[in-house]
């Protein structure tokens, strides 16, 4: 028993895959027609922009409802009870809507799932005895979040569950003796472990309901793994945790080991990504290498920051250009031909945004306000070794 | 995503023969992994980092490098980019043409961004435009929009439109969700509105003439955003003009809603709904000053009302 009709979800997947095959000329239109009639999908289809609007206005309406209840019943009930009561009302509403209108991730249900989960978690969290450590509170909310993920498969709640888990792990580790020293290793272990878990389950037909959640978890776990192993991050976090702060972050114990990990982990992930042809691995390892190079430049400045940025830009252009030419004909299982799965317009909007965003100051009237962009990123030459 | 289980089902349904299934399995196993978009993003990032870095380099070392040398290098680079783009250009046609190789459009973009750096630098060092700051943005605006049409490049079109909007005194940085610039100044506000009207009229006219129809939505999105933001800013800043501004806002929102329905472009529906709602809410709270309970009820009722309104837009055809 789950919130959304699983048969429809399976059918949706079947029809989508068949459409791809049909576009590649592997299925006839008549076969596709048969597949569509035999595997009907009853979800209500909306459009991406409409979904955003629906999400926003659902949030508006539900916030109004919550505050109205609070202002009406405040003397009678405490805020925890009110949260639980509102959560209950919203849940009932959500289920009526799902049953009657067959929404699936249409913005409305996303918002309602988020609100319900948040209200129930907050309400139950408020019932916990006072003075509990942070990790205990996070661990107590985790079952609620996970139940919500299990039942609705919502991505934002998955993100929240991941955040709660990380907070609990970090906070608990810091309470241990020598916690600060082992924190990065715990972070790496958690990231690596969660990634392995997600990767193990992300492609099972039986777990189709949570396929997207597992994919999201892969991205998040890789980010955690790469951040915990980056020398700059480790040193900075270490500095925040010190009781007495010197003006400069002090050198960390086992510095050489972290320098090694900073480069080895993204490089290892890149090799793995190339071998497995796995998008999250490829992209995150690339970002990890960029972070490693930036950390290196930060502590051993060979160039000034602006030279570094310009040089990296130049190298990235060369590298991308080289790979594009190299993959003109597919090699090693990689190709530069666009996939039918990534429509043109999907990427066009972010591209335009970034260009306009970065060029806007140069186009403004006041020439005296030159802005400094984010200096702490840069792409590096990812070694294309097979 | 493993299509194995899908093939099982299709074979069981007797939609696929055994032979056909094996063909599909092989096609799936041999399918190369596409890194097309990742590579495009890399190129973009490279271009952005390079131009940002170069701009900062110049800014930092103004007093240390020979101006003429720097200017020459920048000019050369810029010219090289344009030359490369030109070599790659397909002849002009009113329809979407694209370029011969994947690099032409990126060279053009890099050229345009370098041109901006060059221009800023020339103005800073030699004040070639004197105090006519309008020219600093007017020149790239005209140049980029012309280039966009000549080379069929939507990214450059966006740059040109941004420059054009800066020219009337409004700076857009989409990721900061607000407009800098002087919308408290009535003359700026009116010029922004006039420019928006001009752009909308121009976009619709060209669309009607079937010239570069894939540009229409880009131009309309820029112009519509400018229009709606200027109207909302007008409501906030000029209570004495509330009546006329409200009337214009209502007309614009209605117009975009109709356009969205006609063209199935839901971005415009979202824009008109959200800006319209902000305007309406501001007016209601400004004049009626509802109490807290009434305000909460207002949120509930309007929220639900707008959900129903948005849901009434059916997609006419799904792809």
């Amino acid at each position: 028993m789950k919130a959304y009709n699983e048969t429809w979800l399976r059918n949706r997947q079947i029809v989508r895959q068949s459409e791809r095959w049909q576009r590649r000329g592997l299925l006839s239109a008549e076969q596709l027609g048969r597949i569509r009639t035999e595997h009907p999908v009853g979800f209500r289809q909306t459009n991406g922009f409409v979904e955003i609007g629906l999400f926003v206005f659902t949030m508006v309406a539900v916030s109004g409802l919550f505050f109205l209840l609070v202002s009406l019943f405040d003397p009678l009930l405490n805020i925890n009870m009110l949260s639980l009561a509102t959560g209950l009302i919203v849940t009932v509403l959500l289920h009526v809507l799902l049953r009657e209108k067959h929404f699936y991730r249409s913005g409305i249900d996303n918002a309602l799932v988020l609100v319900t989960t948040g209200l129930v978690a907050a309400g139950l969290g408020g019932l916990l005895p006072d003075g509990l450590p942070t990790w205990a509170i996070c661990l107590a909310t985790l079952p609620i979040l996970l139940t919500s993920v299990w039942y609705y498969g919502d991505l934002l709640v998955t993100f929240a569950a991941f955040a709660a888990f990380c907070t609990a792990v970090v906070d608990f580790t810091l309470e241990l003796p020598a916690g600060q020293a082992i924190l990065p290793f715990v972070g790496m272990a958690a990231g690596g472990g969660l990634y392995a878990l997600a990767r193990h389950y992300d492609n099972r037909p039986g777990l189709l309901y949570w396929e997207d959640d597992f994919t999201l978890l892969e991205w998040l776990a890789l980010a955690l793994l790469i951040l915990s192993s980056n020398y700059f991050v480790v040193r900075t976090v270490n500095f925040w945790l010190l009781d007495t702060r010197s003006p400069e972050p002090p050198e960390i114990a086992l510095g050489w080991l972290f320098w090694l990990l900073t480069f080895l982990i993204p490089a290892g992930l890149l090799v793995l990504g190339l071998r497995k042809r796995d998008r999250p691995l490829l992209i995150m390892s690339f970002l990890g290498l960029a972070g490693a190079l930036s950390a290196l430049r930060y502590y051993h400045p060979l160039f000034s920051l602006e030279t570094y940025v310009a040089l990296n830009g130049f190298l990235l252009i060369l590298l991308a250009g080289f790979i594009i030419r190299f993959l003109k004909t597919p090699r090693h299982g990689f190709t530069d031909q666009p996939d039918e799965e990534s429509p043109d317009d999907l990427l066009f909007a972010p591209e335009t945004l970034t260009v306009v965003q970065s060029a806007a100051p140069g186009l403004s009237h006041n020439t005296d306000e030159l802005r400094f962009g984010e200096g702490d990123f840069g792409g590096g030459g990812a070694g294309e070794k097979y | 995503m493993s299509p194995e289980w899908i093939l099982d089902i299709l074979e069981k349904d007797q939609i696929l023969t055994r032979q056909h299934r094996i063909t599909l399995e092989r096609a799936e196993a041999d399918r190369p992994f596409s890194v097309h978009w990742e590579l495009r993003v890399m190129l973009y990032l490279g271009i952005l980092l390079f131009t940002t870095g170069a701009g900062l380099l110049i800014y930092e070392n103004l007093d240390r490098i020979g101006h003429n040398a720097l200017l020459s290098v920048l000019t050369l680079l810029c010219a090289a980019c344009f030359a490369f783009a030109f070599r790659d250009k397909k002849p002009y046609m009113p329809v979407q043409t694209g370029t011969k190789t994947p690099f032409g459009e990126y060279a053009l973009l890099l050229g345009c961004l370098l041109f901006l750096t060059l221009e800023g630098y020339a103005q800073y060092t030699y004040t070639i435009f004197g105090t006519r700051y309008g020219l600093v943005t007017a020149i790239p605006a005209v140049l980029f929009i012309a280039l966009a049409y000549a080379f069929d490049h939507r990214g450059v079109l966006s740059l040109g439109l941004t420059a054009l909007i800066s020219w009337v005194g409004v700076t857009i940085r989409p990721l900061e969700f607000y407009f800098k610039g002087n919308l408290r100044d009535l003359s700026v506000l009116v010029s922004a509105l006039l420019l928006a009207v001009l752009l909308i009229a121009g976009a619709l006219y060209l669309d009607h003439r079937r010239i570069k129809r894939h540009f229409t939505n880009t131009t309309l999105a820029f112009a519509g955003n400018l229009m709606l933001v200027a109207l909302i800013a007008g409501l906030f800043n000029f209570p004495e003009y509330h009546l006329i501004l409200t009337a214009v806002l209502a007309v614009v929102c209605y117009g975009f809603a109709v356009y969205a329905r006609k063209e199935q472009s839901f971005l415009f529906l979202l824009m008109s709904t959200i800006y319209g709602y902000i305007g309406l809410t501001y007016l209601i709270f400004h004049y009626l000053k509802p109490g807290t309970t009434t305000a909460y009820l207002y949120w509930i009722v309007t929220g639900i009302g707008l959900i129903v309104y948005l849901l009434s837009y059916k997609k006419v055809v799904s792809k």
Side-chain angles (χ1 to χ4, degrees):
Chain A
M1 181 61 209
K2 298 190 190 75
Y4 300 106
N5 183 327
E6 274 198 278
T7 315
W8 283 352
L9 274 179
R10 287 174 71 89
N11 290 352
R12 188 161 151 265
Q13 205 72 315
I14 293 168
V15 170
R16 279 188 175 181
Q17 182 62 49
S18 309
E19 281 169 352
R20 278 183 218 133
W21 282 327
Q22 202 259 321
R23 273 199 297 269
R24 286 166 59 198
L26 296 163
L27 283 178
S28 66
E30 179 230 0
Q31 278 171 314
L32 183 63
R34 255 190 77 193
I35 292 169
R36 278 196 181 129
T37 43
E38 283 179 35
H39 299 280
V41 182
F43 292 125
R44 198 186 167 118
Q45 295 284 331
T46 47
N47 160 288
F49 291 117
V50 175
E51 280 167 24
I52 297 171
L54 290 173
F55 185 89
V56 169
F57 292 121
T58 308
M59 281 297 193
V60 167
V62 174
S63 319
L65 173 73
F66 177 69
F67 287 115
L68 183 71
L69 289 175
V70 169
S71 68
L72 290 180
F73 295 104
D74 190 33
L76 303 173
L77 293 164
N78 69 7
I79 191 84
N80 296 326
M81 284 297 142
L82 275 170
S83 300
L84 285 175
T86 321
L88 197 66
I89 295 171
V90 174
T91 311
V92 171
L93 176 73
L94 170 64
H95 283 255
V96 170
L97 280 176
L98 287 184
R99 211 184 49 223
E100 299 298 320
K101 300 275 177 207
H102 306 309
F103 289 122
Y104 178 67
R105 296 188 185 171
S106 67
I108 300 180
D109 50 326
N110 297 65
L112 292 179
V113 167
L114 200 63
V115 169
T116 292
T117 312
L119 285 173
V120 171
L124 290 178
L127 298 178
L128 293 171
D130 285 338
L132 280 179
T134 314
W135 61 265
I137 296 172
C138 287
L139 274 191
T141 29
L142 204 53
I144 301 164
L145 297 176
L146 288 177
T147 307
S148 170
V149 170
W150 172 79
Y151 196 66
Y152 300 106
D154 186 79
L155 290 173
L156 284 168
V157 180
T158 307
F159 184 83
F162 177 81
F165 174 78
C166 287
T167 315
V169 167
V170 170
D171 194 59
F172 183 78
T173 310
L174 287 175
E175 289 201 4
L176 297 173
Q180 201 169 324
I182 59 168
L183 182 62
F185 299 102
V186 173
M188 284 183 255
L194 283 175
Y195 176 75
L197 185 89
R199 175 84 201 180
H200 187 67
Y201 290 113
D202 71 350
N203 237 340
R204 311 227 167 161
L207 300 177
L208 182 72
Y209 194 77
W210 301 283
E211 194 184 37
D212 296 344
D213 304 270
F214 281 123
T215 309
L216 175 69
L217 184 58
E218 279 175 32
W219 288 96
L220 294 171
L222 284 175
L224 176 65
L225 171 64
I226 284 169
L227 283 173
S228 326
S229 64
N230 186 295
Y231 179 87
F232 174 85
V233 177
V234 172
R235 187 160 162 175
T236 312
V237 170
N238 189 51
F239 175 62
W240 289 339
L241 295 172
L242 288 179
D243 299 330
T244 49
R245 295 210 183 156
S246 49
E248 277 297 300
E251 174 61 270
I252 42 179
L254 295 173
W256 60 271
L257 176 66
F258 281 107
W259 272 123
L260 206 63
L261 288 172
T262 299
F263 283 89
L264 273 185
I265 286 190
L269 292 177
L270 182 69
V271 171
L272 204 64
L274 288 171
R275 231 189 253 145
K276 299 255 179 224
R277 288 179 215 143
D278 180 85
R279 211 171 295 275
L281 272 178
L282 281 173
I283 293 177
M284 290 314 282
S285 64
F286 196 80
L287 290 175
L289 283 172
L293 286 176
S294 298
L296 189 64
R297 197 217 68 91
Y298 185 84
Y299 292 106
H300 304 284
L302 279 175
F303 315 104
S304 65
L305 181 64
E306 49 279 3
T307 316
Y308 174 75
V309 171
L311 193 69
N312 266 326
F314 185 66
L315 288 175
L316 260 185
I317 295 172
L318 283 185
L319 181 74
F322 172 76
I323 303 175
I324 287 173
R325 299 200 61 149
F326 180 77
L327 291 179
K328 224 172 177 163
T329 45
R331 291 178 210 220
H332 308 283
F334 287 94
T335 178
D336 184 40
Q337 287 305 315
D339 235 338
E340 71 272 281
E341 284 146 61
S342 42
D344 228 335
D345 290 340
L346 211 73
L347 203 83
F348 172 72
E351 276 188 346
T352 306
L353 279 184
T354 37
V355 170
V356 172
Q357 174 77 8
S358 54
L363 286 165
S364 64
H365 274 309
N366 1 357
T367 38
D368 56 351
E369 57 145 359
L370 254 173
R371 292 239 189 161
F372 292 91
E374 311 290 279
D376 208 30
F377 60 85
E384 291 293 304
K385 295 188 199 80
Y386 296 100
Chain B
M1 163 83 241
S2 93
E4 205 52 35
W5 62 274
I6 295 180
L7 290 170
D8 288 346
I9 289 174
L10 295 186
E11 195 182 2
K12 209 173 75 220
D13 289 349
Q14 297 181 342
I15 291 176
L16 294 180
T17 58
R18 181 86 211 153
Q19 200 49 46
H20 196 161
R21 180 211 161 113
I22 291 168
T23 317
L24 275 177
E25 256 176 15
R26 200 166 297 139
E28 207 50 44
D30 293 344
R31 189 166 68 121
F33 179 90
S34 168
V35 282
H36 179 88
W37 294 113
E38 283 80 357
L39 291 171
R40 297 300 173 285
V41 170
M42 259 167 83
L43 261 181
Y44 246 88
L45 261 182
I47 287 171
L48 286 182
L49 287 177
F50 180 67
T51 46
T52 312
L56 288 177
L57 256 179
I58 292 168
Y59 184 71
E60 290 286 292
N61 302 312
L62 268 176
D63 41 3
R64 265 183 292 171
I65 17 187
H67 287 313
N68 295 336
L70 193 60
L71 208 53
S72 322
V73 169
L74 271 180
T75 314
L76 269 178
L77 266 179
C78 192
C81 285
F82 282 128
F84 187 96
F86 201 80
R87 213 192 55 179
D88 221 37
K89 179 180 180 304
K90 286 188 179 164
Y92 173 84
M93 276 188 279
V95 291
Q96 189 162 1
T97 54
T99 48
K100 288 182 200 160
T101 72
F103 300 114
E105 46 181 308
Y106 292 91
L108 184 69
L109 187 72
L110 182 57
C112 288
L113 289 171
L114 281 173
F115 177 82
L116 281 181
T117 310
L118 187 65
E119 190 200 35
Y121 176 66
Q123 167 68 0
Y124 183 91
T125 316
Y126 302 104
T127 47
I128 46 172
F129 301 113
T131 50
R132 284 162 306 174
Y133 294 123
L135 275 178
V136 180
T137 46
I139 290 175
V142 174
L143 177 75
F144 292 173
I145 291 174
L147 284 173
Y149 274 89
F151 283 81
D152 192 22
H153 194 305
R154 274 189 299 186
V156 172
L157 178 71
S158 313
L159 275 184
L161 290 170
T162 309
L164 196 58
I165 290 168
S166 302
W167 178 68
V168 295
V170 186
T171 306
I172 308 184
R173 296 187 76 188
L175 302 181
E176 285 171 18
F177 297 111
Y178 67 91
F179 279 47
K180 285 212 311 236
N182 214 348
L183 287 171
R184 288 175 194 287
D185 178 341
L186 194 60
S187 65
V188 173
L189 190 85
V190 172
S191 21
L193 287 176
L194 285 177
L195 176 67
V197 170
L198 262 176
L199 283 174
I200 291 171
L204 291 177
Y205 171 74
L206 288 174
D207 190 67
H208 181 70
R209 294 282 314 274
R210 301 188 173 273
I211 294 171
K212 298 286 178 204
R213 295 191 76 176
H214 54 293
F215 282 8
T216 307
N217 278 355
T218 308
T219 311
L220 279 182
F222 268 86
N225 251 316
L226 178 67
M227 183 107 194
L228 290 162
V229 165
L231 286 168
I232 299 285
L235 282 184
F236 288 176
N237 297 327
F238 300 102
E240 63 274 28
Y241 297 109
H242 269 180
L243 201 60
I244 172 97
L245 286 168
T246 310
V248 176
L249 183 65
V251 170
V252 172
C253 286
Y254 177 76
F256 271 123
V258 169
Y259 181 81
R261 196 183 281 269
K262 197 174 120 243
E263 295 290 322
Q264 296 285 301
S265 288
F266 291 98
L267 168 65
F268 298 108
L269 176 68
L270 182 67
M271 258 165 46
S272 70
T273 312
I274 287 192
Y275 284 119
Y277 185 63
I278 293 172
L280 178 74
T281 306
Y282 175 78
L283 288 171
I284 284 183
F285 279 70
H286 181 80
Y287 285 109
L288 301 180
K289 302 199 172 38
T292 41
T293 308
T294 327
Y296 296 145
L297 278 172
Y298 170 84
W299 297 124
I300 298 173
V301 172
T302 50
I304 293 173
L306 284 165
I307 291 168
V308 173
Y309 165 70
L310 284 176
L311 280 177
S312 69
Y313 278 76
K314 293 266 194 308
K315 239 185 130 74
V316 176
V317 280
S318 63
K319 265 188 258 172

